[in-house]
């Protein structure tokens, strides 16, 4: 069944697409941040602005939801999708912020690998959100996001185990434990988004 | 549009007012706790009792909600407001509890500053909850709460960065990182309450 | 009032019973893991499989919920109960995982005591879920779960205070703080389940 394309529904889809594009922008800027690791204060500021833009879009979607009687899909799913996309962007910003606050000299190769996985998950979210109008191919994107989350989770667990086995400086342990934890949280939040999208698909199939 | 004042609705408003008054009580007692930092075990016990009172009020609101067919505003918002107010009080209690468990000798001036911001946010929540019946002036209180949260967030980020730059004792780093984190969480939870109140306003405007 | 026993409702109850049995299995295997503390990699793998089974059951319940029009109790409570049971199992798996990742040599007696409390809470959840069809005796199970959570909370707070007073190795502090925190989170998640069950009882009483 096709979702009804009311002008009002169209507004929701456009806002979600903007939020997903913003999320992809944030993820790829975090990858640039990690890979170059130069002029990082300035790069982190750009990511902070993406986070603020995400807040603004979420606020717009929730406001529209509260003022709208007929919505293109379930109200609770619209709310969950808006806050879910926002949570991913918040997690991305938290990682760049902690890298600077902790004065990390350089990212580890595994952190870059996790950021790369996050970018793939963000790309899949973008494809899924841009396919919401047609409800087409969404399950494939969701499965891919979950596979990426499982990989990130495995890398993170290995990294934590390795960190405690290798690093003797407790302050460094505290810093890296938090950074890896927040990086993993970012992909966890992508999986939350995939779960909401799955729920929309099942209800409207 | 005015919210309908059923006797039943009146019960809800009274319980929310009690929960908000209790929250303000908790925040101000935490400020006394920080400022005096004397007889802290006894002061923490008083805050623990406020937390238990908050649990009791939340339980009463949720119970009434489950037994009530017609509610003064959306069921999901009543539930979110009750648990939101409770989460603020839980966060306040967690801060005083950790100060004692970690045997902190004295709060830093910045921690007192953050507690002061929390008290302002609590006062605004109280004003907002006491204005729910009339739905009047609520947006102003919500904006102020969000501004206070942004300030607390900035202070907290600066403090974390400063802590890692200055403190060489890792155990002290662990303790203060948790205390500042929980203090920031308390103002985050105030912002969550502001978001619920905004949603009530938009739906009933 | 009795919950209507539609064939569809029956499916939900059966899935919840399977999820609760799986949770009990996970809790008791964690207790075996702690008590024997031998061949722990293999035991942790068995707990990981229980966690995956829990994911599968949750996915099945949520999928069924999205495809079902008439449900045996409120949709939001079905969703909350499914994710609540899953969160307990996730917390259990996280504890065993961290014991291995942190290369903990042996559990403390207090950790075994907390795991024992968790098993009791899991048993009460199982009894409550198996009584959902008749809605009988549920409140008693819920009260017992909350009492167990209060005990776990007290032990955990005492342990954290004791840990910071006694342990001089900061890396050990980081590890044990996380393990005790995750163990406490597991009983907190049991209390969340009790709250959902209470809500079902009140609405259908």
């Amino acid at each position: 069944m096709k979702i009804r394309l009311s002008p009002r529904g169209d507004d929701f889809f456009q806002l979600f697409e903007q939020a997903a594009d913003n999320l992809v922008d944030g993820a790829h800027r975090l990858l640039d941040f990690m890979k170059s690791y130069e002029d990082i204060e300035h790069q982190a500021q750009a990511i902070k602005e993406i986070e603020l833009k995400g807040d603004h879009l979420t606020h717009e979607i929730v406001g529209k939801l509260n003022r709208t009687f007929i919505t293109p899909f379930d109200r609770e799913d619209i709310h969950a999708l808006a806050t879910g996309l926002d949570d991913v962007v918040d997690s991305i910003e938290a990682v760049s912020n902690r890298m600077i606050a902790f004065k990390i000299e350089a990212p580890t190769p595994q952190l870059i690998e996790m950021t790369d996985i996050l970018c793939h998950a963000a790309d899949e979210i973008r494809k899924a959100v841009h396919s919401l109008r047609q409800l087409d191919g969404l399950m494939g994107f969701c499965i891919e996001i979950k596979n990426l989350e499982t990989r990130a989770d495995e890398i993170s667990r290995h990294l934590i185990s390795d960190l405690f086995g290798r690093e003797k400086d407790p302050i460094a342990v505290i810093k890296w434990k938090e950074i890896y934890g927040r990086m993993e949280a970012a992909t966890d939040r992508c999986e939350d988004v995939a779960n909401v999208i799955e729920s929309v698909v099942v209800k409207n199939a």
Side-chain angles (χ1 to χ4, degrees), chain A:
Chain A
M1 192 216 291
K2 288 276 172 75
I3 282 177
R4 194 173 62 85
L5 284 173
S6 72
R8 211 160 239 169
D10 208 49
D11 285 357
F12 278 112
F13 290 123
Q14 278 175 23
L15 286 168
F16 279 130
E17 285 162 8
Q18 286 175 45
D21 294 352
N22 190 53
L23 189 165
V24 167
D25 196 12
H28 284 267
R29 271 170 192 267
L30 186 66
L31 188 59
D32 291 345
F33 173 99
M34 294 292 181
K35 279 189 168 168
S36 75
Y37 217 65
E38 272 176 20
D39 194 13
I40 55 173
E41 295 267 355
H42 185 254
Q43 290 198 64
Q45 186 52 40
I47 294 170
K48 179 74 196 167
E49 276 154 31
I50 288 169
E51 191 235 330
L52 293 173
K53 190 178 167 190
D55 283 348
H56 178 77
L57 285 164
T58 309
H59 197 252
E60 216 174 319
I61 296 170
V62 173
K64 181 175 290 294
L65 179 63
N66 287 335
R67 290 186 310 269
T68 304
F69 193 68
I70 296 170
T71 53
F73 50 94
D74 266 15
R75 309 184 72 81
E76 70 211 38
D77 291 331
I78 289 178
H79 194 272
L81 184 56
T83 54
L85 294 169
D86 198 37
D87 289 345
V88 179
V89 181
D90 285 355
S91 299
I92 288 170
E93 198 275 331
V95 172
S96 59
N97 177 276
R98 289 316 180 283
M99 294 292 284
I100 287 171
F102 295 165
K103 298 194 173 55
I104 301 291
E105 281 183 26
T108 56
Q110 294 87 343
L111 185 62
I112 296 176
E113 191 185 349
M114 287 180 81
T115 314
D116 195 53
I117 292 171
L118 176 70
C119 281
H120 279 103
D123 291 343
E124 296 298 309
I125 286 177
R126 188 182 177 281
K127 285 188 227 164
V129 169
H130 279 264
S131 308
L132 267 178
R133 293 171 199 253
Q134 287 78 34
L135 280 181
D136 199 27
L138 290 169
M139 279 306 195
F141 304 133
C142 291
I143 290 167
E144 182 61 17
I145 293 165
K146 287 175 184 210
N147 290 339
L148 289 162
E149 193 277 330
T150 303
R151 257 180 68 198
D153 191 47
E154 283 164 5
I155 294 171
S156 163
R157 287 182 170 212
H158 188 80
L159 276 171
I160 293 289
S161 175
D162 186 60
L163 177 66
F164 278 91
R166 185 182 41 75
E167 181 62 66
K168 299 302 166 212
D169 173 11
I171 306 261
V173 169
I174 299 169
K175 291 176 177 178
W176 283 105
K177 183 168 171 287
E178 173 153 348
I179 288 170
Y180 292 141
R182 290 192 178 262
M183 197 70 219
E184 195 205 325
T187 45
D188 284 351
R189 297 295 80 73
C190 290
E191 192 183 13
D192 293 343
V193 169
N195 284 329
V196 178
I197 292 173
E198 267 191 15
S199 157
V200 173
V201 173
V202 172
K203 287 183 193 168
N204 295 280

